Amino acid sequence: MDFKEKILILDFGSQYTQLIARRIRENKVYSEILPYNAPIKKIKEFDPKGIILSGGPSRVSQKNAPFPDKRIFDLGLPILGICYGMQLLAHCLGGRVGRSVKREYGRAELNVDDDKDLLKGIVRKRSAKAKNTPPAPPLTKGGMGGVVWMSHGDKIQKHPKGFKSIAHTDNSHVAAMADRKRKFYALQFHPEVVHTENGTKILKNFIFNICKCKPTWTMKSFIETEKMAIKEKVGKDKVVCAISGGVDSSVTAVLMHKAIGKQLTCIFVDNGVLRKDEAAQVNKMLKKNFKMNIIFVDAAERFLNKLKGVADPEKKRKIIGNEFIHIFNEEAAKIKDAKYLAQGTLYPDVIESTSFKGPSAIIKSHHNVGGLLKKMKLKLIEPMRELFKDEVRVLGREMGMSDEVINRHPFPGPGLAIRIIDKVTKQRADILRKADAIVIEEIRKAGLYDEIWQAFAVLLPIKTVGVMGDERTYENVLAVRAVTSVDGMTADWAKIPYDVLGNISNRIINEVKGVNRVVYDISSKPPGTIEWE
């Protein structure tokens, strides 16, 4: 993507790195994440207006601690270090970092000592006329900067030459520091998380006031830029697009269609582990509304045979990914001049599947990035690879797609196969398909569908004793999972009313043969993931 107003984030393994990128993009400035050890040449080619050093789990004093190319400090660019990034700045530029006597995790009150530039406008104002309020704590030179979110065991014992402390907490005498001459800044806390009261304001101060960026990153500009990029890459060749009925693949298909029109052929594959009535919904959504070329392939038996006896979720993902590619290659061979496969890969898919963007641990292989054949005949084209899920929804609306499609809950590429814990069979897929449809129907009926990020059923490899019609049963346990989220990177379990949960449970047990017990998952992400596998 060719945007001039850009902020580069170097990832040192923080669980919050992606949130930094999202916060910046929310302010209409493009941002991208590169690994901490990105070559200086690549950094220069990216041509950012500023650089952010993320947090991370390491200590600067430990063996094999991650360090960037120190030439980034000579580029003349503004730099903001966050948490580990702050300690890194201090360590690399001549300061001293050591163990805190008291580690600081979670909530802390920020005392602002200098409220220029980076911390401008965050000092809490007090009204002299306010009544019935407790006495305010004594002001520091600048004032109280609100609650911030800490996560560190080390602290700055001596800041580097040229720096000065601009904020502190009770436990950290350097909670923020600045070298205004070089435009180097650092924060011991995380401005990107919602728990930090003025975090967005601080990031805006950095990207607009210090880096002098302009808010030009919009979905409208993205569409025009990406359409030109697609046309240039594809030329006169043809493209096949894998569609599943989900938001990601549907938006990808519409974007590709707007860029190259009849050069695009969409392929919908029934892999035997789809949701109820998926093919009919896809036909209505894309073929009728957008007049696209769509080929429907019934490969349910083929996929289920490949999955026979397989319980490991990573193997399931790779089997399904590989089989999809086989089918796409076969179908593409029937289309003259078909050279590309378009996929709805998103930024979180890439981040969760690889560690190339930083030392973060791999959580899982994503179906769009982990199961591709090395000798795939089709070249990949992934127009949304750098977008977050919420940005994809905005993109879809900008292109005229209906809310019915855009607000649809995410559905994994491997489908119900990774919601059937243990081995996949047609019988178990049918059980889960019926139960999953009931979950969605009841949530829609209660008016909760748009409030929930994702809701679905999971078939467990457990059987329990039950009593149905005065007879003893020994049937399957089914779990219901529903979460609220903004972008899928973090999530909390949805507080669905008891009566709605009761209706879901009663309907599943009464209508789905093979289930006699329903449980509700109340895990958040982290520590759990949204999907069970």
Side-chain angles (χ1 to χ4, degrees), residues 298-311:
D298 184 355
E301 187 175 348
R302 179 170 167 175
F303 275 89
L304 290 172
N305 284 337
K306 290 283 184 179
L307 291 167
K308 190 174 181 179
V310 178

Side-chain angles (χ1 to χ4, degrees), residues 295-419:
I295 296 172
F296 290 87
V297 181
D298 184 355
E301 187 175 348
R302 179 170 167 175
F303 275 89
L304 290 172
N305 284 337
K306 290 283 184 179
L307 291 167
K308 190 174 181 179
V310 178
D312 181 81
E314 285 296 286
K315 288 183 179 178
K316 290 179 188 176
R317 290 176 184 276
K318 286 183 168 59
I319 287 170
I320 290 172
N322 283 337
E323 201 58 28
F324 265 123
I325 300 304
H326 280 306
I327 290 172
F328 294 137
N329 276 332
E330 291 168 10
E331 294 300 324
K334 303 172 187 177
I335 302 170
K336 187 180 178 181
D337 298 324
K339 299 288 177 63
Y340 291 92
L341 166 64
Q343 281 198 144
T345 308
L346 304 189
Y347 211 14
D349 302 340
V350 177
I351 292 165
E352 287 195 349
S353 301
T354 69
S355 56
F356 80 92
K357 290 197 180 250
S360 308
I362 296 174
I363 298 170
K364 65 183 179 182
S365 292
H366 191 271
H367 58 278
N368 282 351
V369 292
L372 300 180
L373 292 176
K374 291 181 180 178
K375 295 184 179 179
M376 185 176 66
K377 294 178 183 178
L378 298 170
K379 298 176 184 177
L380 267 182
I381 183 166
E382 300 167 307
M384 303 191 305
R385 188 179 175 88
E386 302 299 336
L387 295 186
F388 289 98
K389 176 70 87 171
D390 53 325
E391 292 175 321
V392 171
R393 297 187 195 280
V394 175
L395 172 61
R397 288 192 188 94
E398 189 72 35
M399 294 190 298
M401 298 177 71
S402 68
D403 282 345
E404 181 185 358
V405 177
I406 296 306
N407 293 335
R408 202 168 190 210
H409 290 184
F411 187 64
L416 301 180
I418 57 167
R419 293 177 179 174

Side-chain angles (χ1 to χ4, degrees), residues 10 12 14 20 51-56 58-60 66-68 72-73 79-98 100 104 110 113 118-119 149-152 154-160 163-169 172-179 184-192:
L10 294 183
F12 292 87
S14 170
I20 304 173
I51 296 174
I52 294 179
L53 310 177
S54 84
S58 305
R59 298 181 62 206
V60 292
F67 287 95
I72 64 170
F73 303 122
I79 294 177
L80 174 64
I82 296 174
C83 199
Y84 177 81
M86 177 184 194
Q87 296 157 16
L88 190 71
L89 269 176
H91 180 82
C92 292
L93 299 176
R96 188 169 66 248
V97 179
S100 297
E104 201 168 18
L110 186 71
D113 303 311
L118 187 66
L119 303 183
W149 202 252
M150 293 283 192
S151 181
H152 67 101
D154 285 359
K155 67 178 182 180
I156 308 300
Q157 295 178 336
K158 178 186 176 184
H159 46 65
F163 280 83
K164 63 174 286 189
S165 176
I166 58 174
H168 69 276
T169 65
S172 297
H173 72 281
V174 184
M177 64 181 188
D179 178 343
F184 291 171
Y185 298 84
L187 303 169
Q188 188 59 78
F189 55 90
H190 289 274
E192 68 274 22

Side-chain angles (χ1 to χ4, degrees), residues 127-134:
S127 172
K129 297 181 180 179
K131 296 180 180 179
N132 302 320
T133 56

